[in-house]
Amino acid sequence: MSTTTSSPSVNLKPETLARIDEVITHYPVKRSATLPLLHLIQEDAGYISEDAILWIAQKLELQPINVLEVVTFYPMFRRAPIGRRHIKVCRTLSCALLGGYKTCENFQKEFNTTLGATSPDGEVTVDFVECLASCGTAPVVLIDETLHEKVDAAKVKQISAQIRAEAAARK
Amino acid sequence: MPAPAQHRIIFQHIDEPGYSNDIDCYLRNGGYEVLKKAVTQKPEDLREEVKKSGLRGRGGAGFPCGFKWSLVDRKSGKPIYLIVNADESEPGTFKDRYIMHQDPHQLIEGTMISCFANDVKQAYIYIRGEMPEGARILEKAIAEARAKNLVGPNILGTGYSCEIFVHRGAGAYICGEETGLIESLEGKRANPRIKPPYFPAVLGLYQCPTIVNNVETLCHVKYIVQHGGAEYAKIGTPGNTGTRIFCVSGHVQRPGYYEFPAGTITMGQLLNDVCGGPLPGRTFKAVIPGGSSAKVLRFGERYKGKRKVGTDMVDYDWGVEDVPMDFDSLAMIGSMGGSGGVIVMDDSVNMVEALANINAFYQHESCGQCTPCREGSLWMKKISSRMVHGEARKEDAALLKSVADQIPGRTICAFGEACSWPTQSFLIKFKDEFEGYAEAKKNLPADRLSLV
């Protein structure tokens, strides 16, 4: 990782910057704000860039490695952009017992993509994630911030159609 | 014997038509009255009630809550922190999700009472990253409570002040381990700390005394302060007081969450009477009784021994269906009640494939700081996955078991046990299935459900 002295450039919305300054006040030790800042920046920018890591390090008076090691430890932080929508299918046992693998495969087919990759139109990324703590309504899928329950083949079709309709409406 | 009736004290309002998660609804239902009463009492009296109640932590370990609080170093002069463990991540467990989404003020009231009882001025709710909606609901609920002077400075004019902030995790299971959670809250990788010396009650968050309690546990505290510890202890059985919420998933007709007085319902009653039994045309094969790290139980096996009933020792001879679903009975038969997550597998499941699924989870979630766990969980995953997707050999059964046997007791935190117990117990109870998998695989239907 480079350790330039020039200011790292992050292009954050004013409201993100305001929330960043507010959240730092929640903790007696600045370093505690590392995860909240990573969440806020990822929500704004879509991923954690090298400059974002340097910027957070400066903001919280840390070494860049202190931020990088956090980014690489937690599965939710990503170093590269993904599709506009993020489809996260639960892979763990209770969901698998009720067809979670099939659900994941069906989403990949619907959007002509493979596991972990983004669809050719840039619209969705399909991933497996570990237990989403909704095992009683398996199989479950977290799409962006919304949990979908009992996602069988028919529901995959329905959700996929809705995602495509929303994408078309944006164009 | 038919199952007893549900007794919902924590889930009283869950799924109730018309019940919403805003503060007005909570207040209409008597909300925050217990906090108002609590702040007029002496903190040590409140702690005494919790001790008297016999409440055991609902996060998984079943550690007595009153005892946990009594370990807190109150003489250090350092601030005392309380952290709500809302990292609900043990596969099979999904009770805290419903409390936070549907009845967040119950958690906030329980948290504030516990903070007052322990002279805590700052609390954090550590919620798992995969519950963004839950985090928003909690933040809104805290703001509502602050506006009504129930959280924040000079609560209800008593001079007592306490803040609560929500802190989001980012997808790491190990943050449910309390010292890993503390590291994470400090902005670091969630590598659990070694105990001694880092007992949270003495050297926790920022090296200050810290209490870490599960979401459901804190809701029980509210109930205890409302009704008194002695009254609470009348629910359930001695040593397993109060209610327990069971989260049932997998192959039953009616999966879901069910709350019963602790120790009053057996596995058979829960799965057959409450959850409607196996799916049509199927029979139960195995059940994991307390989250995916708990040791598996095989239908058809018997558990024999002596147990204490009152002051007498009596013989017991149980099948899986006869086992009472409390911490002590499940521990007696070699498994655990854990977090209350019951995962059911029927005769359509191949146990090698189920274990391969579990092993992939634990390999993904090992924090990596202790070699036996990091390497062991990886090799257990590699071997079991290869058996399913590549070549399976008879000797893989013994190999898997030998890897699992070298992990527990050799790691900083209990993850070492958690990741090896599934392999150990599957290999002991379904040894034939692992040794015969290479042959059996040839005849398994090609279109069967993938588990890994």
Side-chain angles (χ1 to χ4, degrees):
Chain A
M1 170 162 287
S2 63
T3 49
T4 49
T5 47
S6 65
S7 255
S9 92
V10 287
N11 209 354
L12 299 171
K13 298 186 186 92
E15 55 267 35
T16 304
L17 291 167
R19 287 181 70 190
I20 283 173
D21 287 332
E22 198 274 330
V23 83
I24 294 172
T25 67
H26 292 190
Y27 309 95
V29 176
K30 276 188 173 179
R31 186 173 183 174
S32 278
T34 307
L35 265 77
L37 261 56
L38 286 166
H39 275 301
L40 286 165
I41 290 176
Q42 184 161 287
E43 278 160 26
D44 186 320
Y47 71 103
I48 305 296
S49 65
E50 175 114 357
D51 270 1
I53 290 170
L54 297 173
W55 188 87
I56 291 173
Q58 278 186 9
K59 189 85 184 164
L60 299 179
E61 296 164 34
L62 301 170
Q63 295 301 317
I65 184 65
N66 299 141
V67 182
L68 176 65
E69 67 180 358
V70 169
V71 173
T72 57
F73 185 86
Y74 295 90
M76 284 178 74
F77 299 127
R78 48 182 179 263
R79 301 294 315 277
I82 54 162
R84 193 185 292 271
R85 310 291 297 270
H86 198 183
I87 300 178
K88 303 184 198 180
V89 183
C90 177
R91 189 209 66 83
T92 318
L93 186 58
S94 298
C95 283
L97 287 172
L98 289 161
Y101 272 77
K102 194 80 207 161
T103 296
C104 190
E105 200 184 301
N106 285 342
F107 271 120
Q108 293 169 48
K109 278 188 198 149
E110 284 285 341
F111 293 100
N112 185 25
T113 185
T114 53
L115 195 62
T118 300
S119 59
D121 58 0
E123 199 56 39
V124 304
T125 302
V126 180
D127 270 323
F128 258 142
V129 292
E130 297 300 339
C131 189
L132 291 170
S134 187
C135 321
T137 56
V140 295
V141 181
L142 187 66
I143 302 183
D144 301 328
E145 300 205 335
T146 308
L147 185 77
H148 298 262
E149 302 177 301
K150 297 184 184 171
V151 185
D152 56 13
K155 214 160 173 187
V156 168
K157 281 206 175 314
Q158 182 203 327
I159 293 168
S160 303
Q162 198 186 334
I163 290 175
R164 277 191 291 267
E166 285 164 11
R170 254 196 324 271
K171 279 169 191 160
Chain B
M1 211 169 59
Q6 277 201 69
H7 183 54
R8 286 189 165 202
I9 62 175
I10 305 304
F11 269 30
Q12 192 188 348
H13 297 296
I14 302 299
D15 295 334
E16 181 182 309
Y19 192 88
S20 53
N21 61 21
D22 56 278
I23 197 164
D24 292 330
C25 178
Y26 190 65
L27 291 171
R28 273 201 305 280
N29 286 275
Y32 289 107
E33 289 303 319
V34 188
L35 175 62
K36 286 177 192 164
K37 190 180 100 176
V39 292
T40 65
Q41 291 172 264
K42 281 199 201 129
E44 54 268 37
D45 292 348
L46 297 171
R47 297 203 294 270
E48 195 51 40
E49 287 303 316
V50 173
K51 216 180 232 178
K52 243 192 270 173
S53 74
L55 171 63
R56 294 172 70 168
R58 298 303 200 253
F63 195 77
C65 180
F67 185 55
K68 193 180 222 180
W69 288 5
S70 75
L71 298 173
V72 172
D73 180 0
R74 297 176 199 283
K75 297 200 178 88
S76 67
K78 295 191 262 189
I80 300 169
Y81 291 102
L82 185 142
I83 305 172
V84 183
N85 187 341
D87 193 60
E88 179 158 76
S89 46
E90 181 68 26
T93 317
F94 50 93
K95 58 193 177 60
D96 300 340
R97 161 186 288 279
Y98 294 95
I99 296 171
M100 293 188 284
H101 281 78
Q102 296 188 28
D103 204 4
H105 285 286
Q106 181 185 194
L107 171 61
I108 293 167
E109 186 171 11
T111 303
M112 290 308 295
I113 294 166
S114 304
C115 286
F116 179 77
N118 288 288
D119 198 23
V120 170
K121 306 283 194 299
Q122 177 66 62
Y124 292 98
I125 302 179
Y126 189 105
I127 184 169
R128 54 181 307 192
E130 297 91 332
M131 293 183 179
E133 199 189 334
R136 267 197 304 273
I137 291 168
L138 286 169
E139 275 173 351
K140 174 174 160 271
I142 292 167
E144 288 173 336
R146 193 180 290 122
K148 296 216 184 287
N149 194 212
L150 299 160
V151 170
N154 191 20
I155 290 161
L156 298 163
T158 56
Y160 171 67
S161 303
C162 182
E163 239 342 308
I164 308 180
F165 291 123
V166 176
H167 184 97
R168 287 182 64 201
Y173 165 84
I174 197 62
C175 295
E177 199 280 342
E178 59 181 5
T179 60
L181 186 156
I182 288 169
E183 285 284 302
S184 179
L185 188 46
E186 290 185 359
K188 305 169 192 163
R189 297 182 141 222
N191 291 345
R193 296 174 176 173
I194 196 154
K195 298 184 271 190
Y198 297 107
F199 291 106
V202 183
L203 294 171
L205 184 61
Y206 311 124
Q207 301 300 319
C208 295
T210 303
I211 297 165
V212 185
N213 280 142
N214 168 261
V215 168
E216 185 196 339
T217 307
L218 292 167
C219 295
H220 283 276
V221 169
K222 189 210 109 181
Y223 188 90
I224 289 161
V225 171
Q226 183 176 5
H227 297 277
E231 206 51 38
Y232 178 88
K234 288 182 190 162
I235 308 170
T237 51
N240 289 271
T241 58
T243 58
R244 280 229 78 181
I245 298 167
F246 300 107
C247 312
V248 186
S249 64
H251 293 148
V252 290
Q253 303 241 11
R254 289 189 295 274
Y257 34 80
Y258 303 97
E259 185 173 357
F260 289 95
T264 61
I265 187 165
T266 63
M267 181 69 89
Q269 289 170 327
L270 180 67
L271 298 188
N272 289 311
D273 304 349
V274 179
C275 296
L279 297 171
R282 292 290 171 194
T283 53
F284 289 141
K285 182 175 187 178
V287 59
I288 303 174
S292 73
S293 60
K295 290 188 176 178
V296 70
L297 307 177
R298 178 178 185 158
F299 282 85
E301 65 184 355
R302 305 294 300 180
Y303 313 99
K304 293 177 192 175
K306 280 188 185 301
R307 65 181 184 130
K308 219 171 165 185
V309 175
T311 50
D312 303 327
M313 294 301 284
V314 297
D315 290 312
Y316 66 88
D317 179 1
W318 290 331
V320 174
E321 295 87 344
D322 307 321
V323 180
M325 294 292 288
D326 60 72
F327 288 115
D328 298 329
S329 301
L330 286 163
M332 226 156 50
I333 62 159
S335 188
M336 64 174 182
S339 52
V342 180
I343 306 172
V344 186
M345 287 167 271
D346 68 21
D347 58 343
S348 69
V349 178
N350 180 284
M351 300 315 280
V352 178
E353 297 174 2
L355 181 68
N357 179 291
I358 296 175
N359 284 348
F361 174 83
Y362 287 103
Q363 185 273 326
H364 185 261
E365 301 299 344
S366 171
C367 85
Q369 67 173 331
C370 308
T371 309
C373 170
R374 181 186 66 242
E375 298 300 317
S377 63
L378 176 65
W379 279 106
M380 290 191 294
K381 178 209 163 169
K382 281 188 172 179
I383 297 164
S384 51
S385 296
R386 169 180 49 73
M387 289 175 76
V388 177
H389 294 299
E391 183 206 357
R393 306 167 308 184
K394 187 168 186 287
E395 60 267 33
D396 287 330
L399 180 60
L400 267 172
K401 176 111 184 351
S402 85
V403 175
D405 288 346
Q406 294 177 71
I407 306 170
R410 296 181 169 93
T411 58
I412 287 173
C413 81
F415 190 101
E417 281 74 22
C419 74
S420 51
W421 283 344
T423 295
Q424 288 178 325
S425 62
F426 273 62
L427 262 300
I428 288 169
K429 299 190 176 182
F430 297 95
K431 193 175 173 207
D432 46 338
E433 217 166 300
F434 282 80
E435 290 183 341
Y437 184 68
E439 277 307 305
K441 208 163 96 164
K442 294 175 189 158
N443 299 317
L444 289 173
D447 63 344
R448 69 188 183 281
L449 218 53
S450 299
L451 295 181
V452 68

